[in-house]
Amino acid sequence: MYKRIKNIGVKTKVLDDFISNKIYKYKILRYTVKLYLLFRLIKISNADIVITNTLFMQLFASPVVKCLGKRLIWHEHNIQPEGFRRKFIRLYASIFPDGIIVVSHAVKNVYKDLSIYSDTTVLHNGIVPLKVTTKEERHILRKSLNLNDNQKIILSISRITDYKGLDVLIKAFLQLDDKDATLLILGDASSRKDRDHKKTLLKLAKSNKNI
């Protein structure tokens, strides 16, 4: 994502890149430095609107953004499980954001009884329209992936991060008794935490040549 945004000419910074390895391994220090960097970045850039799309940004950065007098838009992808976390997010939602963008009506319904609901907009994730491929193109593509024409493919396309459940998918596939099935996982791991999770997934998948 970072590379794609940068390639179209948008000024882009990844906060993790400014944090040394010594600090990064301590979560409290890491978050403290991130908040300071965020504060400096917003102040220097003189941004009018800040859009957040991670749980960290919602919980920790929202007060910083509003203290700087900026308009705040949440971009919410997930439905948090019932319990303290969801209650806390709903409490924040009633205080900090000026609006919320969600990827589905199911996510929007989390805020149904809050005043922010009327300022919550559903914007589905975009997709690239699929091209109809010929049998020859399909054969060439499968051959490039070392797959035969009759191979069954289970395809997962998502960002590689712990809460996507890719470890659960791999474990489930390992229990599948079908030698003609192949699991393809397509995605990118941008943050340091996600790259560490990717290494864990690779170790988990190492025992099966069809992953």
Side-chain angles (χ1 to χ4, degrees), residues 3-196:
K3 290 178 182 177
R4 288 200 299 269
I5 293 174
K6 190 174 182 180
N7 286 339
I8 62 174
V10 178
K11 290 182 180 179
T12 310
K13 295 184 185 297
V14 178
L15 296 185
D16 282 354
D17 292 344
F18 295 90
I19 303 175
S20 69
N21 290 327
K22 288 182 179 179
I23 292 177
Y24 193 87
K25 62 184 179 181
Y26 299 105
K27 187 177 286 187
I28 294 176
L29 278 176
R30 184 169 80 231
Y31 284 172
T32 302
V33 173
K34 274 189 176 184
L35 285 175
Y36 171 74
L37 290 172
L38 181 69
F39 177 86
R40 293 281 300 161
L41 185 62
I42 295 172
K43 201 167 183 181
I44 292 170
S45 67
N46 200 28
D48 297 309
I49 300 174
V50 177
I51 302 175
T52 70
N53 69 344
T54 66
L55 183 62
F56 165 80
M57 292 290 284
Q58 288 172 354
L59 296 183
F60 296 96
S62 290
V64 173
V65 173
K66 297 308 289 185
C67 282
L68 289 169
K70 308 298 182 180
R71 291 180 63 80
L72 174 65
I73 304 295
W74 283 6
H75 189 193
E76 181 62 79
H77 303 78
N78 306 300
I79 299 175
Q80 298 298 334
E82 293 281 358
F84 176 76
R85 182 182 287 184
R86 183 185 289 196
K87 290 178 181 178
F88 202 70
I89 288 175
R90 280 168 47 83
L91 174 63
Y92 260 51
S94 64
I95 298 172
F96 293 109
D98 297 288
I100 302 176
I101 299 171
V102 294
V103 297
S104 70
H105 289 282
V107 179
K108 182 176 180 177
N109 286 336
V110 170
Y111 308 104
K112 194 169 186 177
D113 57 335
L114 302 179
S115 59
I116 193 66
Y117 183 78
S118 60
D119 292 309
T120 301
T121 303
V122 176
L123 183 63
H124 299 293
N125 286 330
I127 61 170
V128 177
L130 295 175
K131 293 181 180 179
V132 178
T133 57
T134 64
K135 286 185 178 180
E136 185 179 354
E137 289 173 329
R138 184 172 176 268
H139 173 75
I140 293 171
L141 178 60
R142 282 176 170 258
K143 189 176 180 180
S144 69
L145 296 170
N146 294 320
L147 301 173
N148 63 55
D149 290 340
N150 298 316
Q151 195 92 4
K152 301 170 188 173
I153 298 175
I154 300 171
L155 175 63
S156 171
I157 304 176
S158 75
R159 184 161 60 88
I160 296 177
T161 190
D162 55 359
Y163 63 77
K164 294 290 186 178
L166 294 173
D167 56 330
V168 178
L169 175 61
I170 292 172
K171 288 174 183 177
F173 184 82
L174 291 174
Q175 296 180 39
L176 184 65
D177 187 19
D178 190 340
K179 294 180 180 179
D180 291 328
T182 293
L183 174 60
L184 293 180
I185 298 176
L186 303 181
D188 190 22
S190 54
S191 72
R192 195 177 313 187
K193 182 181 177 183
D194 291 345
R195 289 194 292 270
D196 289 342

